[in-house]
Amino acid sequence: PELNGDGAEILMKSYACQRRTPLKHHNAFLTEALEILAQNAEFNDNEGRSVAFRRAASVLKALPHRVKSMEDLRCLPCLGDHSQRVIKEILEDGSSREVESTRQSEQFQAMKALTGVFGVGVRTADRWIREGLRTPDDLIRTGQQLNRAQQAGVQYYSELQRAVTRAEAELIMAIVEAAVNSVLPGCQIQLMGGFRRGKEVGHDVDFLITHPEEGKEEGLMLKIISWLEEQGVLLYQKTTRNSYVERLDGPARSASNMDRFERCFSIFKLHSSASRSGSASTSESGSACDSGCRAVRVDLVVSPFSQFAFATLGWTGSKLFERELRRWAGQEKQMTLSSHTLYDSKQNLYLRAQTEEEIFAHLGLEFIPPSERNA
Ligand code: ATP
Ligand code: MN
Ligand code: MN
């Protein structure tokens, strides 16, 4: 088995949800390379290949030491031939030709630039590239038909490219708290996603909102959104209603891992000075973002109290950690896990939980705290 520096055995479990994966680790020089190949596979609509590279990278993130030779990889799970070839080349030559040529390819760079626009997915970006477009500027220059999300994405492109800091996340938290408390007192508001896992920066800020009295949360999002709109905080928002129905015979099979909560994908406006000094934006205009203004992507989700633990687990991430939890549930436990519920197919019943700890226990997993879910 794999030995660490002290000669003690490391038993590397094969599902990411069985392991502790800290934010900072020892193998970024390898994981960044593997994640380029994962991203490229995603751009080519090859999900299986993409997940294989992400799982390989994730195993290296959980190692308590830096990989120095191929010997260090003996007995590690999830490292396929392709990943091993890439790792070997980096260890021997300092870089991998495949990774570097991918990184520099026009196709990869154009996909990265175009899917980097809010509202643009792989399919759309691919179509534009086949039409000869390469950058967000090309979209404007050639007058492409854009939907409302994409228009906002292009309009605030450079602002949204800038990483969101923890200080900005705290500031937005204060605005969201003010909104929620003024429309429905007694709510619980939780910072989710990367910031809950301890990241210092993020591509957006995620919030989960609930009320301890089941039912009170119904229609809450619309009230929050109109409060925020009155304050001129929103540059863009798209709200989706809650469409979750609990079926007696277990969850419906669904290809997508999208949940069905009442949710809002939005872009907040902060004054740049405010985002430094810590006071909220109260501008009246509501739609423009001038030079003294900062645009930040914000996701809001409202969950009924009875589903709050599942929603918390589902919106903490990382994406790979979530995917592995669901795979573990299905393959090892004959259970179906979603951000709403956990269903046990052997007993034909829903397993309830008030806390994340209880969900891990139902799944027969050791509890992994959010800061160690950076798979
Ligand atoms: P970043 O710092 O880049 O924002 P992140 O981990 O917060 O990193 P997000 O894309 O914001 O990434 O996603 C946060 C969590 O919310 C992830 O765990 C993801 O599984 C979950 N999530 C995101 N979008 C959806 C969705 N449409 N349906 C269900 N869950 C989602
Ligand atoms: Mn996020
Ligand atoms: Mn998000």
Side-chain angles (χ1 to χ4, degrees):
E2 169 75 3
L3 300 180
N4 72 12
D6 307 326
E9 275 183 26
I10 298 162
L11 183 64
M12 183 68 76
K13 298 280 183 49
S14 63
Y15 288 82
C17 55
Q18 298 174 288
R19 307 188 292 252
R20 294 175 177 269
T21 313
L23 188 57
K24 297 212 176 75
H25 60 86
H26 308 276
N27 291 294
F29 74 114
L30 297 173
T31 60
E32 278 165 13
L34 292 169
E35 281 171 347
I36 293 278
L37 299 183
Q39 191 170 37
N40 193 51
E42 244 160 59
F43 290 162
N44 293 320
D45 210 9
N46 191 338
E47 198 184 351
R49 193 179 164 90
S50 163
V51 172
F53 284 126
R54 288 201 194 278
R55 284 204 193 111
S58 179
V59 162
L60 303 180
K61 292 179 191 177
L63 275 181
H65 57 78
R66 183 180 165 102
V67 173
K68 295 202 182 64
S69 76
M70 292 306 280
E71 273 293 280
D72 294 345
L73 305 180
R74 277 195 314 132
C75 304
L76 291 184
C78 308
L79 295 176
D81 291 343
H82 198 152
S83 294
Q84 293 200 35
R85 251 186 355 256
V86 171
I87 295 168
K88 185 160 187 280
E89 208 182 331
I90 296 173
L91 290 174
E92 286 170 359
D93 306 339
S95 66
S96 144
R97 277 162 303 171
E98 184 186 1
V99 172
E100 295 319 311
S101 70
T102 300
R103 214 196 292 267
Q104 271 141 42
S105 82
E106 197 186 2
Q107 173 74 14
F108 181 80
Q109 290 188 2
M111 280 302 273
K112 221 174 135 79
L114 293 176
T115 58
V117 176
F118 173 63
V120 178
V122 164
R123 301 266 160 81
T124 306
D126 194 61
R127 175 165 49 81
W128 282 334
I129 290 170
R130 279 186 275 111
E131 289 167 14
L133 307 174
R134 295 287 175 270
T135 66
D137 275 345
D138 294 343
L139 301 179
I140 303 171
R141 199 173 40 73
T142 58
Q144 289 298 309
Q145 274 270 325
L146 302 175
N147 65 30
R148 209 166 60 83
Q150 294 163 347
Q151 280 170 29
V154 167
Q155 187 175 358
Y156 306 116
Y157 182 72
S158 57
E159 279 296 308
L160 297 181
Q161 287 292 104
R162 271 173 58 196
V164 184
T165 64
R166 182 166 282 276
E168 286 168 330
E170 302 283 342
L171 184 65
I172 290 165
M173 176 99 178
I175 299 171
V176 172
E177 278 173 344
V180 172
N181 288 330
S182 74
V183 299
L184 180 65
C187 286
Q188 291 176 21
I189 305 159
Q190 204 165 256
L191 188 54
M192 306 303 303
F195 287 110
R196 182 160 190 257
R197 301 196 307 276
K199 282 176 69 176
E200 281 305 317
V201 294
H203 99 282
D204 69 356
V205 194
D206 308 286
F207 293 99
L208 177 61
I209 303 156
T210 191
H211 193 284
E213 246 178 88
E214 186 98 354
K216 282 253 179 173
E217 81 293 342
E218 277 170 36
L220 177 58
M221 188 70 83
L222 290 177
K223 293 180 202 150
I224 299 172
I225 296 308
S226 38
W227 190 94
L228 291 168
E229 261 174 351
E230 276 166 31
Q231 302 289 314
V233 174
L234 294 176
L235 294 167
Y236 167 87
Q237 65 90 9
K238 183 174 168 63
T239 304
T240 328
R241 291 206 322 260
N242 184 340
S243 60
Y244 179 72
V245 225
E246 190 171 296
R247 296 167 27 143
L248 289 171
D249 57 344
R253 281 188 193 284
S254 150
S256 130
N257 61 354
M258 293 281 283
D259 64 53
R260 293 162 165 276
F261 290 118
E262 193 175 29
R263 93 169 76 241
C264 178
F265 296 122
S266 73
I267 301 176
F268 272 39
K269 172 163 97 170
L270 300 177
H271 289 297
S272 300
S273 56
S275 77
R276 278 189 297 272
S277 73
S279 69
S281 162
T282 51
S283 155
E284 297 297 313
S285 73
S287 63
C289 190
D290 52 46
S291 59
C293 164
R294 169 84 166 106
V296 179
R297 273 270 299 114
V298 175
D299 287 339
L300 303 173
V301 182
V302 169
S303 114
F305 198 64
S306 59
Q307 296 169 20
F308 189 59
F310 297 97
T312 301
L313 182 57
W315 278 82
T316 299
S318 69
K319 289 208 177 73
L320 184 69
F321 191 90
E322 302 292 341
R323 176 187 264 276
E324 293 277 279
L325 271 175
R326 284 162 204 213
R327 189 167 71 95
W328 167 271
Q331 293 187 352
E332 307 293 329
K333 298 285 161 180
Q334 285 80 53
M335 294 181 187
T336 310
L337 175 68
S338 73
S339 293
H340 300 277
T341 50
L342 178 61
Y343 186 78
D344 184 334
S345 304
K346 282 188 300 198
Q347 302 185 67
N348 292 315
L349 53 82
Y350 288 95
L351 301 173
R352 308 294 167 181
Q354 305 277 324
T355 62
E356 287 186 312
E357 281 84 348
E358 290 172 50
I359 303 173
F360 279 89
H362 283 319
L363 289 168
L365 290 168
E366 184 197 339
F367 178 70
I368 309 287
S371 62
E372 314 253 27
R373 295 182 204 159
N374 289 290

